[in-house]
């Protein structure tokens, strides 16, 4: 299928958390049509075997490919780290982006890491002694145990103090619209009590940016917070721009596909999606778009 600027951008996650990636895409590409698929029937991915997760991903990407997506963003760390090479080889003509807990992006641009006692920051001309910087990565249990993150931590543990902690309770709070409750805020406060001296915080799940305001109230003001979703949205924007596929649609649409859609979830979607220009429509399956 010949693709052009009018083709939509597909985004998917097992739940509603991927909306945080959609929001970043809207901010960078406000005139695009988007189709967001929340795979509610398979939520959460993290409890399933890696091979099953990969097969689910293949099926979803296949639907997007058939409908004519110009690119697909996997707005889920667990799915992205399941088998990206398989996704790319199966759909070689479709650009596929994954969302990863890649903390190497936290380093200042121009940073050079060397096997000695210092990290040399070329851009700012600084020498930072090893172990001075502390990074906390919060993610789902599945992502924390993933081969991708385990290897990355092992590769860089000599340069920066890294702590990896599962925080599945944040996912549950987002999915159930409980971010404003005393119970959630108290849980968050107790969790971060042990990490008052961190320098960096990586949000390793697309659900977590929705809790960022509450997190900022707890951690030190100078903590630098990053999200893999911000990074993947930037990559998608650059790809679209560089390939002359940027859309200039005047009245773009966001189509939400969610088999569990109901009034409560529609209210939550409308609460989380940040747009003033898109028409939002809801469907229960890909079949309605065929």
């Amino acid at each position: 299928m010949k693709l052009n600027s009018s083709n939509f951008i597909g985004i998917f996650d097992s739940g509603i958390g991927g909306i945080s990636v959609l929001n970043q895409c809207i901010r960078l590409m406000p005139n695009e049509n988007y189709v967001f698929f929340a795979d509610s029937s398979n939520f959460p991915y993290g409890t399933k075997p890696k091979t099953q997760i990969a097969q689910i991903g293949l099926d979803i990407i296949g639907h997007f490919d058939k409908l004519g997506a110009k690119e697909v963003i996997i707005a889920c760390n667990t799915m992205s780290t399941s088998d990206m090479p398989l996704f790319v080889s199966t759909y070689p003509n479709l650009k596929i982006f994954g969302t990863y807990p890649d903390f190497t992006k936290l380093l200042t641009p121009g940073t050079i890491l060397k096997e000695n006692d210092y990290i040399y920051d070329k851009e700012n001309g600084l020498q930072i002694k090893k172990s001075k910087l502390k990074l906390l990565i919060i993610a789902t249990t599945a992502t924390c145990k993933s081969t991708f993150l385990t290897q990355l931590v092992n590769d860089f543990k000599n340069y920066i103090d890294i702590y990896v902690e599962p925080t599945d309770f944040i996912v549950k709070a987002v999915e159930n619209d409980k971010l404003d409750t005393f119970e959630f805020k108290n849980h968050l406060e107790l969790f971060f009590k042990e990490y008052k001296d961190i320098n960096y915080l990586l949000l390793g799940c697309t659900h977590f940016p929705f809790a960022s305001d509450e997190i900022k109230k707890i951690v030190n003001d100078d903590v630098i917070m990053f999200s893999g979703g911000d990074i993947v949205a930037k990559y998608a924007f650059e790809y679209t721009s560089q390939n002359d596929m940027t859309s200039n649609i005047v009245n773009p649409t966001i189509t939400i596909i969610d088999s569990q859609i109901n009034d409560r979830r529609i209210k939550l979607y409308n609460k989380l999606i940040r747009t003033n220009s898109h028409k939002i429509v809801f469907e229960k399956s890909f079949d309605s778009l065929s």
Side-chain angles (χ1 to χ4, degrees):
M1 179 182 294
K2 186 180 174 81
L3 302 179
N4 55 53
S5 61
S6 64
N7 290 73
F8 70 91
I9 295 175
I11 304 174
F12 76 95
D13 186 14
S14 63
I16 210 166
I19 293 297
S20 66
V21 179
L22 172 63
N23 285 336
Q24 287 299 319
C25 288
I26 292 171
R27 183 178 66 82
L28 296 172
M29 301 173 283
N31 299 107
E32 300 286 346
N33 284 326
Y34 295 95
V35 175
F36 179 85
F37 177 60
D39 193 10
S40 301
S41 61
N42 285 308
F43 176 84
Y45 288 148
T47 60
K48 295 174 172 57
K50 183 177 178 179
T51 53
Q52 183 182 357
I53 296 171
Q55 184 57 56
I56 291 170
L58 282 177
D59 293 341
I60 295 171
I61 296 170
H63 283 296
F64 280 129
D65 186 51
K66 183 178 179 181
L67 290 172
K70 60 184 176 184
E71 57 198 83
V72 171
I73 300 173
I74 304 175
C76 174
N77 290 269
T78 301
M79 177 63 74
S80 298
T81 56
S82 65
D83 200 338
M84 183 60 75
L86 176 63
F87 302 151
V88 173
S89 63
T90 304
Y91 298 99
N93 298 319
L94 177 62
K95 185 64 178 178
I96 304 171
F97 294 96
T99 306
Y100 301 97
D102 187 355
F103 58 81
T104 62
K105 303 298 186 295
L106 304 184
L107 302 173
T108 304
T111 296
I112 300 175
L113 300 180
K114 294 183 177 180
E115 288 288 349
N116 53 32
D117 291 333
Y118 295 90
I119 298 174
Y120 180 61
D121 183 338
K122 182 178 179 181
E123 182 172 278
N124 296 308
L126 301 174
Q127 280 191 327
I128 305 171
K129 192 171 180 59
K130 282 183 183 178
S131 300
K132 181 178 179 181
L133 300 179
K134 296 184 179 181
L135 162 67
L136 171 62
I137 302 170
I138 57 174
T140 62
T141 299
T143 299
C144 289
K145 294 180 179 179
S146 69
T147 302
F148 176 89
L149 185 55
T150 301
Q151 185 62 55
L152 207 57
V153 169
N154 187 62
D155 289 344
F156 285 86
K157 65 183 180 181
N158 291 328
Y159 301 104
I160 186 170
D161 286 339
I162 305 171
Y163 307 90
V164 179
E165 293 285 358
T167 49
D168 300 83
F169 72 94
I170 301 178
V171 176
K172 295 177 182 178
V174 174
E175 289 288 329
N176 294 291
D177 198 15
K178 300 292 185 181
L179 294 178
D180 294 328
T181 64
F182 170 79
E183 289 78 10
F184 172 72
K185 294 178 181 180
N186 186 56
H187 197 166
L188 208 61
E189 180 78 41
L190 291 174
F191 173 81
F192 279 102
K193 187 176 181 180
E194 303 298 321
Y195 296 101
K196 292 294 186 179
D197 61 343
I198 58 173
N199 304 102
Y200 294 124
L201 174 62
L202 172 59
L203 307 181
C205 173
T206 55
H207 285 78
F208 295 175
F210 293 116
S212 61
D213 287 344
E214 292 301 323
I215 293 174
K216 288 175 183 177
K217 295 175 183 177
I218 299 171
V219 300
N220 293 331
D221 292 339
D222 57 351
V223 171
I224 299 174
M225 191 182 308
F226 288 84
S227 168
D230 296 346
I231 297 170
V232 73
K234 180 175 179 291
Y235 288 162
F237 166 71
E238 291 173 349
Y239 170 79
T240 305
S241 301
Q242 293 167 3
N243 289 277
D244 296 322
M245 297 177 71
T246 303
S247 172
N248 293 309
I249 298 173
V250 178
N251 297 303
T253 299
I254 297 172
T255 302
I256 305 293
I257 304 175
D258 186 337
S259 64
Q260 306 299 320
I261 201 68
N262 53 37
D263 290 342
R264 183 191 69 81
R265 285 184 72 81
I266 288 176
K267 182 179 179 181
L268 182 55
Y269 276 115
N270 286 325
K271 178 180 178 180
L272 298 179
I273 297 174
R274 297 168 186 167
T275 180
N276 295 316
S277 57
H278 286 76
K279 175 185 177 181
I280 303 175
V281 297
F282 296 92
E283 303 289 350
K284 285 197 170 186
S285 71
F286 279 103
D287 293 338
S288 58
L289 304 183
S290 301

